[in-house]
Amino acid sequence: MTRLSTALHNDLQLLKMLRDELALKAHLLKAEAKAEWETLEIKSAELKAHVMRAEVAADHAKRDAEAAITLLVDTVKTGYASIRSALKS
């Protein structure tokens, strides 16, 4: 084997080793990314569930607050009307 063919052979072997190393790292990275994706999908589903529960709770709280405000407004109106009526007498 000539010096050039030996160097070329060595370079090709080195490139093959580098390629194999990168292929392995890419495969591992893909596996890590997939695992991370699956974890995030679970967390995303949990987030959606929490948001839905919060929206339901907020809707109930809004209705309760509106009812309480309406009752308070009616009470104040009635009180003012009573005072106005008393002052007219």
Side-chain angles (χ1 to χ4, degrees):
M1 210 183 267
T2 68
R3 212 189 236 185
L4 179 60
S5 66
T6 301
L8 183 58
H9 176 73
N10 290 343
D11 286 343
L12 290 174
Q13 287 299 105
L14 178 62
L15 289 174
K16 183 185 178 311
M17 286 176 32
L18 287 172
R19 182 188 175 283
D20 290 347
E21 178 186 345
L22 290 174
L24 177 61
K25 286 184 178 182
H27 176 75
L28 293 175
L29 180 61
K30 183 179 176 184
E32 287 177 17
K34 183 178 178 185
E36 183 66 20
W37 177 268
E38 290 169 356
T39 299
L40 289 173
E41 284 294 289
I42 292 168
K43 290 181 186 282
S44 178
E46 289 173 0
L47 174 61
K48 288 176 188 174
H50 284 299
V51 168
M52 288 177 63
R53 285 194 297 273
E55 287 174 345
V56 169
D59 188 49
H60 290 314
K62 178 183 174 191
R63 283 188 263 141
D64 290 347
E66 287 173 348
I69 289 168
T70 300
L71 181 60
L72 186 55
V73 166
D74 289 344
T75 301
V76 171
K77 276 185 188 178
T78 302
Y80 283 157
S82 177
I83 291 171
R84 177 192 236 176
S85 179
L87 290 173
K88 285 184 179 179
S89 302

